[in-house]
Amino acid sequence: MARPDAVVENMSFLLAELDGQLTRLTSYMQEPHPEMALQLVQRAGYSNNLSARVRKACLAGMMRAKLTEAQRLRLQGIDTIARNLDLVSRLGRRAVEHVEQAERNRLLRTKTYVAPVTLVGKTIACIPKAMETSDSRLAVEIGKSRSQIDIFHDRLFRTYTRDMRGSKHSADLAHGLLTLNEIHRMGEGLSAISEALLSMNIGQAVQFDRYFTLRSVLGGGKGDEEVRLQPLAETRSGSAISSVNLRNAKGETVAAVFKDGDRRKVKQERVGVKSWNSVYPGLAPEILSYERHGKSAALLIEHLEGETLEDIVVAGSDEALARAQKALHKTVGDIWRQTRTEEPAEMKAMEQLSKRMKDVYRLHPRFAQGVRNLNGLRIPDLDELIAAAARREAGLAAPFSVYIHGDFNLDNVIHDAVGNKIRFIDLHRSRYMDYVQDVSVFMVSNYRLQVLDSATRNRIAKVASDMHAMAAKFARRHRDPTFEYRLALGLARSFASSTRFVVDQNHARRMILRARYILESALAVPEGREARFKLPIRMLFSD
């Protein structure tokens, strides 16, 4: 991609300016002098202005039409590099200011800073080549500089704190610690620059530590230039999901899905996939590779053909939707029958909701209204209703358990129209549980879709109602008398807790009012009469 001339030109000036500033900083640390300190401090405007020009040019480039995702990601990466170069410049000036404030700068051992500052300068000098050649190995070396600076920091930190014991010059040594912190933070800037370069090369935002997991899970050793990812999604927990094309042993190109993130989350996903492949083979994708690196991990899994149910509900034809629903209901019913055990299951929907209400109120503080009185009538707040419903729920366990998805949203279900098959993804919460957990999550994931046209809203209501009808029929056949009551609590939980992901105030209000209505209706049922409870499902899911 030919970058805008203003980006190239100002980035070149910025790198040259940083080279000069770090050279002066090295000389200053070798022999501190007020005149050189003044020269360094007076350079503040240069790097700042150049960084601003690079960022302005990048923004202008990103505003252009017909920009590919790779081009956009590259401009974002250059913007990140410019910001962190300016950060390194500011940290250098602040280090000088701390040294100048020390009355006895010999206590600071400034000559020891020559090596790390020189390292920073040499590392930054590698940036132009890394950008021009898209050399991921060089980008990695830039990131590795941080670990060398960390070692320097830890060693000098111990020296300063040791010198402080019994010293009469603790103020000077405190300035030493502050100087050390500024130099240490330069390593953070280099790490951010490394991540920006790697992200530009592989086509997806990536953290430095996670890059090694990526290389390992994709087979390593084949050359960094072969790694190209196409972003698919990013979960709320921070995991990134991408598509990648690989060559198998026969040299054929094979499509796969790469997912990386927190080690615990990815491990749970792996366990969930393996469990499904033993409990109900063919439903979950196959795991092609799994790797761990530090606190991160990555999965390479089979690419599944088809469309998500969300895409079909929103944009598919009526025929495609009806076919997908029929396949889904058949598959889910079959799973419930095959995995059923006689172990009772407690959903604890109200306990789940209670834990999530802080996040709901954080985004929608007006929902936390407190107890109110209307003409002498006491109106309990939502938290009070949740607590009361939790007490009712405690005595209403499901009479049996089935293996559930655990995060049964529309976008986690794929329908392959060619084979008319249903497949599941995002399985880190799968376990034996009350099937109402999945039913309620699925139904509300329909309503949560922020699509406003009436035709689509009617389809959404029908999909939710059809799932209810299928599950209610299963409950009758398997003698589950409190299904409807437990479903009500599950729906209240999902309606209320889902608002923490809905910014639109009107849509969130409709959802929270439904949750309140359901709770009030359920609590109005006399104890012991829960089996007779019914909700107006179609009304709840219609606008």
Side-chain angles (χ1 to χ4, degrees):
M1 167 194 168
R3 297 189 298 277
D5 291 341
V7 174
V8 177
E9 182 178 281
N10 286 297
M11 178 59 80
S12 298
F13 287 142
L14 177 58
L15 288 164
E17 175 64 23
L18 260 292
D19 179 68
Q21 289 186 19
L22 290 168
T23 299
R24 293 186 187 91
L25 181 59
T26 303
S27 299
Y28 175 82
M29 290 301 185
Q30 185 72 40
E31 189 174 348
H33 193 280
E35 184 177 336
M36 187 172 293
L38 183 61
Q39 291 177 6
L40 279 163
V41 172
Q42 288 177 340
R43 302 294 300 184
Y46 291 87
S47 55
N48 184 264
N49 288 339
L50 289 168
S51 173
R53 289 177 187 173
V54 173
R55 299 180 65 192
K56 182 179 178 181
C58 286
L59 180 60
M62 286 186 279
M63 296 293 287
R64 293 178 181 175
K66 298 181 180 179
L67 204 64
T68 67
E69 188 59 33
Q71 291 172 329
R72 191 177 304 279
L73 184 63
R74 188 166 184 82
L75 289 171
Q76 289 173 346
I78 294 171
D79 175 83
T80 298
I81 292 170
R83 282 191 287 109
N84 281 280
L85 288 173
D86 184 45
L87 172 64
V88 169
S89 174
R90 285 187 282 116
L91 292 171
R93 292 192 299 274
R94 281 158 52 175
V96 169
E97 290 170 355
H98 291 310
V99 173
E100 286 295 297
Q101 290 180 52
E103 294 182 5
R104 302 166 184 79
N105 59 34
R106 62 179 178 79
L107 296 176
L108 275 58
R109 295 175 168 82
T110 57
K111 285 185 173 61
T112 60
Y113 288 98
V114 171
V117 173
T118 300
L119 173 63
V120 173
K122 289 181 177 179
T123 302
I124 287 177
C126 297
I127 293 174
K129 183 179 179 182
M131 291 176 64
E132 291 301 319
T133 62
S134 299
D135 188 339
S136 292
R137 292 185 181 89
L138 189 52
V140 167
E141 291 304 314
I142 290 171
K144 285 182 177 178
S145 299
R146 178 178 181 175
S147 62
Q148 298 179 54
I149 295 174
D150 287 345
I151 294 171
F152 164 79
H153 168 270
D154 294 345
R155 185 173 63 247
L156 192 54
F157 182 86
R158 289 193 296 270
T159 300
Y160 282 153
T161 53
R162 182 200 63 204
D163 292 350
M164 279 183 166
R165 298 183 192 125
S167 173
K168 297 179 180 178
H169 310 298
S170 57
D172 288 340
L173 291 168
H175 283 301
L177 286 171
L178 292 170
T179 303
L180 177 61
N181 182 62
E182 308 299 356
I183 301 302
H184 184 226
R185 289 192 59 204
M186 287 184 179
E188 297 177 9
L190 296 177
S191 181
I193 290 170
S194 172
E195 290 176 355
L197 290 167
L198 291 171
S199 299
M200 289 189 285
N201 292 349
I202 68 175
Q204 176 182 297
V206 64
Q207 294 179 1
F208 185 74
D209 287 342
R210 290 183 178 180
Y211 175 76
F212 298 99
T213 314
L214 164 66
R215 291 299 310 148
S216 182
V217 80
L218 294 182
K222 295 183 179 179
D224 295 306
E225 70 281 358
E226 294 187 12
V227 179
R228 290 294 183 272
L229 300 181
Q230 181 64 39
L232 293 177
E234 189 161 330
T235 68
R236 294 184 180 93
S237 62
S239 295
I241 305 173
S242 310
S243 65
V244 60
N245 291 323
L246 303 171
R247 293 193 180 277
N248 60 19
K250 298 179 181 178
E252 301 168 331
T253 300
V254 178
V257 174
F258 170 75
K259 181 173 183 177
D260 82 319
D262 176 76
R263 179 172 168 175
R264 181 177 61 86
K265 296 280 187 183
V266 175
K267 183 179 179 180
Q268 289 174 343
E269 174 81 6
R270 182 191 183 212
V271 170
V273 170
K274 293 177 72 174
S275 296
W276 273 108
N277 285 330
S278 62
V279 169
Y280 198 89
L283 189 75
E286 292 291 334
I287 297 175
L288 304 178
S289 183
Y290 170 74
E291 292 291 339
R292 299 172 297 174
H293 185 87
K295 295 181 180 180
S296 68
L299 275 175
L300 193 66
I301 58 180
E302 172 193 7
H303 172 75
L304 300 181
E305 298 294 337
E307 293 181 277
T308 66
L309 242 60
E310 179 175 324
D311 289 337
I312 297 172
V313 169
V314 173
S317 66
D318 290 341
E319 293 77 13
L321 178 57
R323 194 163 181 244
Q325 281 187 270
K326 184 177 179 180
L328 175 65
H329 294 170
K330 182 179 183 301
T331 301
V332 170
D334 194 38
I335 292 169
W336 291 347
R337 285 187 293 272
Q338 288 194 33
T339 64
R340 173 180 164 167
T341 72
E342 296 307 313
E343 184 72 24
E346 291 184 332
M347 180 171 54
K348 298 183 179 180
M350 293 300 97
E351 182 179 308
Q352 296 173 38
L353 179 55
S354 180
K355 292 177 180 178
R356 297 169 185 172
M357 288 309 295
K358 285 185 179 179
D359 291 331
V360 170
Y361 294 146
R362 191 173 291 116
L363 183 61
H364 302 287
R366 63 180 184 151
F367 292 165
Q369 295 177 327
V371 177
R372 290 167 293 166
N373 285 279
L374 182 62
N375 292 330
L377 176 66
R378 184 179 184 277
I379 302 175
D381 64 4
L382 196 54
D383 291 329
E384 188 176 328
L385 292 174
I386 293 169
R391 291 190 289 272
R392 293 288 294 271
E393 186 182 23
L396 295 173
F400 52 82
S401 301
V402 301
Y403 204 67
I404 68 166
H405 183 289
D407 192 14
F408 202 40
N409 290 295
L410 283 169
D411 56 356
N412 286 333
V413 180
I414 294 176
H415 179 240
D416 176 8
V418 176
N420 196 28
K421 294 180 180 178
I422 291 293
R423 308 291 296 273
F424 287 174
I425 58 174
D426 206 1
L427 301 165
H428 64 282
R429 293 179 182 170
S430 296
R431 63 201 186 280
Y432 276 93
M433 170 56 72
D434 183 351
Y435 62 107
V436 167
Q437 172 82 18
D438 269 1
V439 176
S440 57
V441 169
F442 180 88
M443 291 173 69
V444 174
S445 75
N446 279 271
Y447 188 87
R448 196 170 72 197
L449 294 175
Q450 296 186 55
V451 182
L452 300 179
D453 70 275
S454 59
T456 304
R457 294 309 299 179
N458 287 334
R459 295 182 87 190
I460 286 170
K462 185 177 185 305
V463 172
S465 297
D466 289 347
M467 174 58 74
H468 167 261
M470 185 277 292
K473 184 177 181 180
F474 179 86
R476 289 192 297 272
R477 285 184 174 178
H478 292 265
R479 296 181 176 86
D480 181 6
T482 61
F483 162 78
E484 293 279 353
Y485 197 90
R486 299 196 319 278
L487 178 64
L489 300 183
L491 290 173
R493 176 222 41 224
S494 294
F495 271 123
S497 64
S498 292
T499 60
R500 70 194 196 277
F501 304 130
V502 177
V503 176
D504 183 279
Q505 293 293 319
N506 291 328
H507 197 43
R509 183 172 180 272
R510 288 192 291 269
M511 294 173 73
I512 207 74
L513 287 175
R514 279 164 169 76
R516 186 179 182 96
Y517 167 78
I518 293 170
L519 289 175
E520 289 176 341
S521 299
L523 290 171
V525 174
E527 292 193 37
R529 305 286 292 275
E530 290 85 3
R532 298 188 180 184
F533 180 72
K534 301 290 181 185
L535 274 176
I537 296 295
R538 187 73 191 198
M539 183 196 78
L540 280 172
F541 286 85
S542 300
D543 288 317

